[in-house]
Amino acid sequence: MIKSIFKEAEPPPTPFPLRLSRVHEVMGPAAYSFGLIGAQSAGLPLLWIRKAGLAPNLFPQGIAAFLPPDQILLARPADQKDSLAVAEEALKDKALKSVVLESQAPLNLREGRRLQLAAQTGGGLGLCLIRDGMGSNAAETRWICSPLYDPAPDRICQDSTLMRWECIKNKSGTIGAWHVRWDRTAHRLHMVPAPSHGTGLAHI
Amino acid sequence: MRTYRRTEKDGSAHVNGSPNTHAHIGMGTGARPFALVNKQGQHERLYCVNHAAEQAGLYIGMAVTQARALCRNLTLWPAAPDDDTQFLRHLRRWTQRYTPWASIDGTDGLLLDITGAAHLFGGEMMMLTDIRRRLDAMGLSCRLGLADTRGAAWALAHYHEAIAPVGETETAIEHLPVAALRLEPDMVVALQRLGLRRIADLQATARAPLARRFGPDLLAKLDQAMGFRSEPLSPDADPPYYAASMTLAEPIGLLDDLWRGLDELLSRLCVTLTNQHMGMRAMELVLRRVDKASLTLPLRLAAPMRDKDRILPLFSRQLEMVDSGFGIDQLRLRALQVEPLAMEQMGAEVVPDLNDLITRIGTRIGLNNIQRFTPHDSHWPERSFALAPATSHQGARNWGPQDWGRSPLRPTCLFPPEPIYAHHDGRREPPHEFQWRRDIFTIAKASGPERIAPEWWNSTQSLRDYWYVQTSQGRRLWIFHTPQDKGYAQGSGWFVQGEFA
C-alpha cells in the first residue's frame, strides 16, 4: 500500500533519455542528431538502416562528434518490407543496443506494433526517422527536432549545436519542448530551458 | 610384412605427365608447336613445350623471342604453376584407383607403389596399359616407367619407357644416361666431362674416387636406383574434405525430418572442422528430390564458424521455403569457403554475437549490404571514407575519438554538391541571401574559408573554399565555392555539400 503511494508521488518520467525496450519516432531537420544522441545514450553498437536506393549520406567525420564511427553498422535493404524485417530482426537481438530506421513510407499500426514487440524482446532502443505525418500509433514518443539559430556571439568559430526538441506524443509521461546543446568534446547533452515553457530536463 | 613383400617383389610405377597438360586439351596436342610461357627473372621464357615444339628445336628455359624466331607457327600460352599443382593433386587422387600408395613426385610426376596391386588388373603390363588408355581418354599425354625401385622407375619414365622385370633393374637402366639418376645438372655435366656418360660407366668406376670427387650424393642416388639403399615412398594424405551427405531409403518431406537430417550432416561436418581447426564461412545444402530436381540452399556467414547449434538456426528462413515435391531422398552439405579458426577458451561468459545477427540479416538482404565506415587517406570529403562490407577483416581501423579531437568541423550529413541560387557579386564571402531546396535562407553567421585542395593527380576537380554558415532560419550548412572556376558555369558558383543536422 505504501509502495503504491510512493509510486503515485513520483514525478512523471521525463521523455529524454529515451525509454529503452521501446520504439520512438523522430522527424524534422535535426532528426539525425537526435538519432545519434539517442543511440549514444542508449548504447552502442548502432545499426542504421537506410534503403539501398538512396545515397548514403552519413558522414563519418561529422558523426565522430557524437559517437565513434566504427560502432555504426549500415544496413542497406532493397525496399521498405526488407527494412522493416531487418529492423525487427535487429531489435530482437541482444547484440545491438540501438537501431535507427530511416523510414520512407508511413508505418501502419501493425508494423509499428511488431517493431515495438521486437524492441521489448531485445531490450534495445529503436528509433524511426520519419517524415511529417507518417508516424504509427504504436510509437512510445514522437519528436520534432529542428536546429535553432544561436545568437551567442562567442560561438562563431565553433559549430553551434543548439536545437529545439519538441515531444509531441508520449505514451507514459509529459510532452513539452526543450532547447538542447550537444557538447562535442565532453559528449554530453546540455539542456537550455525553452523560452515558452521555462522548464528543461533537470538532469541528463 | 611390408618389407618382406618388398624383398620378394616390389613394383614402383612412375607416371610422368607433362605439366599443364590440361592447358593443351583442345589445342591439338602434338599437331602444332605449343609452349607455355612464364616470366623468369627479367625474361619471358618457355616453361613447357609439347612434342611438336621439341621437334622444332625448342627447349624449356629458352627465351620466348628466340623461340619465336625458330618457330614461326608457335602457339604460346601463359603458364599457371599453381593450377598445375592443383591438377596434379586431383590426378593423384584419381590414381588411388590403382593403389593406395600414391604421392606427387616433383612438379610433374606421380609415384605409385603398386606392390601387391598389379594382379588386380591382370599383371603389370595390363595395369600400365590401363593407365595409359585412361589418361589418353582424358586427353593427357604421359610417360610410364615401372621398376623395382623408385629411382629406376623415375629413370625409365624419363629416359626410356619400359617395364623392368623383377630383379633385373640393373640391366634395365644401365644403358641410360647418368642424368637418369636424378642428379643436379652441373654434376651431370661434370660426369660427362670425365667420360662417364651412362649408368654402366658409373658402375664400372671405382667408388672411392667418385665419392671423393662428387660427394656422397651421387653414390646414394646410384644405390637407391639399384636397390642397395632404401628409399621409401610416403603416400600423400588426402586433404580434408569438408562435406557430408546422406542418402535416404525413403523420401522425406516434413520440415522436422529435414531439420533432423541437416542436424546430422552439420554435426558430422563440424567434427571434421573442429579436428582441422577450421571454420566455414560459406556453405551450401543441396537437397535432391525424388524427381531428380535438386534445390540448393546457400548460406554465407559473417564470420567463420563451426558451432553446430549456432549455424543450424541460420538455415531456418531458407529451409521453410523448400518445396519438397514428391519427397527428398538425398541431402548434401558442403563447405564452400573454409578458414582457419583457432580454438577458444571454454566456459567464458556467453555474449550475444554480433556476427550471428549480421549473418541472419545477410541471408535476407545480402551480406554485402551490411556495411561499415572505413577511413580512407584523403582530405577531399567524398573520398575521406569508404563503405566496406561489415564482414571484411579490415574494418574498425583507428576511428577512435582521439583522431577526431583536433579534426576540423565536419557536417553530419554529406551529399553530392547542390547548387544554390543567389545573386553573385564576385566576392569571396558567401552570399547574404540564397535559395536552396526551395527555401530562402539568410546567413546570420559564417566562418571560413577552409581551403581543401584535391590531390594533385586528380585534375578533374578544382580546389574548394568551404564555409560553415549558420542561417537565421536555424539550419547550419556546409557550403563551398570554387575560386579557380572563373566561368561560374553553374549559377552562383556556390554549392551546399553538407548539413550539420
Side-chain angles (χ1 to χ4, degrees):
Chain A
M1 190 63 197
I2 294 171
K3 264 184 187 171
S4 71
I5 291 172
F6 270 120
K7 258 197 172 167
E8 293 283 318
E10 266 181 26
T14 50
F16 201 94
L18 299 168
R19 231 178 126 189
L20 295 183
S21 312
R22 292 290 186 279
V23 177
H24 307 263
E25 289 178 350
V26 55
M27 53 195 177
Y32 271 42
S33 301
F34 186 89
L36 292 168
I37 294 170
Q40 200 262 353
S41 64
L44 300 171
L46 156 71
L47 180 75
W48 192 286
I49 305 167
R50 184 178 165 87
K51 250 170 66 175
L54 307 168
N57 62 355
L58 284 177
F59 189 39
Q61 306 191 17
I63 291 169
F66 298 97
L67 45 92
D70 57 353
Q71 291 292 310
I72 299 187
L73 280 174
L74 284 173
R76 321 220 16 223
D79 53 22
Q80 175 78 3
K81 202 173 126 200
D82 275 355
S83 313
L84 290 169
V86 169
E88 192 186 358
E89 190 74 49
L91 278 170
K92 265 192 224 162
D93 199 278
K94 291 190 169 58
L96 279 175
K97 294 288 191 313
S98 25
V99 177
V100 175
L101 167 69
E102 282 193 58
S103 175
Q104 303 296 325
L107 297 175
N108 63 28
L109 186 60
R110 187 182 57 188
E111 292 159 352
R113 188 73 193 132
R114 277 194 76 94
L115 292 183
Q116 201 64 260
L117 288 170
Q120 284 178 24
T121 318
L125 172 74
L127 268 173
C128 285
L129 309 192
I130 55 169
R131 302 220 180 120
D132 202 1
M134 283 188 178
S136 122
N137 271 336
E140 177 76 14
T141 58
R142 188 172 303 134
W143 298 78
I144 301 178
C145 301
S146 43
L148 276 189
Y149 170 59
D150 187 6
D154 55 337
R155 299 194 173 267
I156 182 116
C157 291
Q158 292 177 29
D159 178 24
S160 162
T161 52
L162 189 65
M163 285 174 283
R164 179 188 164 85
W165 287 0
E166 189 179 354
C167 182
I168 56 169
K169 174 192 169 167
N170 192 349
K171 276 193 168 176
S172 55
T174 54
I175 58 171
W178 291 269
H179 285 192
V180 299
R181 195 191 289 283
W182 176 254
D183 188 332
R184 324 175 138 251
T185 43
H187 288 202
R188 274 182 62 88
L189 197 66
H190 293 295
M191 311 297 296
V192 185
S196 56
H197 291 261
T199 53
L201 297 183
H203 47 271
I204 294 294
Chain B
M1 185 64 185
R2 210 186 115 63
T3 44
Y4 168 69
R5 277 223 303 257
R6 178 171 275 277
T7 50
E8 185 184 286
K9 172 178 163 53
D10 178 54
S12 206
H14 195 276
V15 182
N16 182 272
S18 63
N20 305 77
T21 20
H22 59 297
H24 299 230
I25 297 171
M27 300 295 293
T29 324
R32 287 179 54 191
F34 173 78
L36 294 172
V37 180
N38 73 346
K39 198 157 183 151
Q40 297 171 10
Q42 289 295 313
H43 300 281
E44 296 265 311
R45 290 187 185 278
L46 301 191
Y47 176 76
C48 188
V49 294
N50 74 349
H51 188 65
E54 219 163 15
Q55 294 293 311
L58 309 189
Y59 55 89
I60 292 168
M62 187 186 229
V64 167
T65 43
Q66 199 185 349
R68 275 194 201 284
L70 279 177
C71 186
R72 208 156 48 87
N73 58 348
L74 178 66
T75 312
L76 294 172
W77 200 260
D82 291 346
D83 293 349
D84 290 342
T85 317
Q86 190 63 34
F87 178 73
L88 207 57
R89 245 178 248 145
H90 292 311
L91 205 60
R92 187 201 71 83
R93 208 172 128 81
W94 173 79
T95 54
Q96 284 183 321
R97 60 182 285 121
Y98 297 105
T99 166
W101 291 80
S103 79
I104 292 174
D105 187 44
T107 57
D108 61 347
L110 291 173
L111 201 57
L112 315 180
D113 187 344
I114 58 163
T115 312
H119 70 277
L120 298 172
F121 296 84
E124 290 168 351
M125 191 65 196
M126 296 292 285
M127 188 180 196
L128 289 202
T129 316
D130 188 57
I131 293 178
R132 192 183 299 278
R133 189 174 57 77
R134 286 179 191 272
L135 287 178
D136 272 348
M138 286 187 231
L140 304 175
S141 54
C142 63
R143 296 175 62 87
L144 305 171
L146 193 141
D148 283 357
T149 65
R150 187 175 163 176
W154 192 93
L156 289 174
H158 280 78
Y159 289 90
H160 180 74
E161 280 190 276
I163 297 175
V166 180
E168 293 175 29
T169 309
E170 199 175 331
T171 47
I173 64 166
E174 66 181 2
H175 64 282
L176 298 181
V178 284
L181 289 176
R182 293 173 289 171
L183 301 176
E184 301 292 322
D186 34 347
M187 196 187 279
V188 173
V189 173
L191 283 171
Q192 283 173 345
R193 289 211 181 115
L194 295 178
L196 301 171
R197 293 179 188 285
R198 305 196 168 277
I199 294 175
D201 302 340
L202 213 53
Q203 282 204 292
T205 317
R207 291 171 68 89
L210 274 181
R212 267 205 302 282
R213 171 93 189 237
F214 294 102
D217 193 40
L218 171 64
L219 291 174
K221 285 277 162 59
L222 182 66
D223 289 349
Q224 279 172 347
M226 295 303 170
F228 300 126
R229 190 180 291 203
S230 73
E231 186 183 11
L233 159 66
S234 55
D236 298 339
D238 274 327
Y241 189 54
Y242 301 110
S245 70
M246 177 189 281
T247 312
L248 305 165
E250 291 288 330
I252 55 170
L254 294 178
L255 196 56
D256 278 353
D257 296 343
L258 279 178
W259 274 118
R260 215 163 298 154
L262 179 58
D263 188 296
E264 164 73 25
L265 292 182
L266 206 52
S267 11
R268 270 197 257 157
L269 190 53
C270 289
V271 168
T272 319
L273 289 165
T274 313
N275 290 343
Q276 300 288 333
H277 298 268
M278 299 295 245
M280 55 187 165
R281 212 177 230 283
M283 69 198 91
E284 67 176 16
L285 175 67
V286 181
L287 304 173
R288 202 189 61 190
R289 299 203 315 214
V290 179
D291 55 5
K292 300 294 175 205
S294 63
L295 309 159
T296 307
L297 314 182
L299 177 66
R300 283 183 64 202
L301 303 174
M305 256 194 242
R306 58 161 176 257
D307 190 347
K308 187 193 84 177
D309 298 331
R310 276 168 64 196
I311 299 174
L312 200 60
L314 299 175
F315 269 107
S316 66
R317 191 177 133 76
Q318 300 189 64
L319 214 55
E320 274 158 22
M321 290 193 292
V322 162
D323 170 20
S324 59
F326 293 107
I328 288 163
D329 64 353
Q330 192 189 48
L331 292 86
R332 191 172 140 77
L333 182 69
R334 189 157 71 101
L336 299 175
Q337 198 184 343
V338 191
E339 284 177 14
L341 179 64
M343 296 284 258
E344 268 175 31
Q345 173 84 41
M346 296 198 33
E349 191 190 344
V350 180
V351 251
D353 193 352
L354 193 55
N355 284 325
D356 287 3
L357 176 68
I358 293 177
T359 307
R360 272 208 306 283
I361 297 177
T363 53
R364 178 176 269 275
I365 64 171
L367 270 184
N368 287 338
N369 286 328
I370 305 168
Q371 297 165 332
R372 236 186 246 284
F373 292 111
T374 53
H376 203 268
D377 237 356
S378 175
H379 291 295
W380 201 250
E382 293 97 316
R383 286 194 293 271
S384 65
F385 69 97
L387 283 169
T391 51
S392 72
H393 297 294
Q394 70 272 22
R397 186 163 63 91
N398 62 13
W399 274 114
Q402 69 277 4
D403 295 330
W404 304 100
R406 53 181 187 278
S407 73
L409 202 56
R410 288 288 178 265
T412 331
C413 297
L414 191 78
F415 32 81
E418 297 172 9
I420 57 179
Y421 303 101
H423 172 67
H424 176 68
D425 49 8
R427 288 186 305 142
R428 292 284 168 106
E429 278 81 45
H432 181 64
E433 197 177 59
F434 62 88
Q435 188 190 356
W436 172 62
R437 288 188 183 171
R438 286 184 285 175
D439 281 329
I440 307 273
F441 293 95
T442 46
I443 292 181
K445 291 174 186 174
S447 77
E450 182 193 347
R451 178 161 289 188
I452 299 182
E455 292 89 356
W456 58 265
W457 55 87
N458 275 311
S459 55
T460 49
Q461 284 130 348
S462 62
L463 60 86
R464 297 168 175 177
D465 280 348
Y466 280 93
W467 290 73
Y468 159 67
V469 299
Q470 245 193 84
T471 61
S472 30
Q473 285 76 15
R475 308 279 287 259
R476 291 179 279 267
L477 303 171
W478 208 39
I479 67 175
F480 72 85
H481 80 127
T482 48
Q484 287 179 332
D485 283 351
K486 292 292 176 216
Y488 295 127
Q490 284 174 306
S492 59
W494 286 87
F495 299 87
V496 180
Q497 205 192 2
E499 184 175 5
F500 298 79

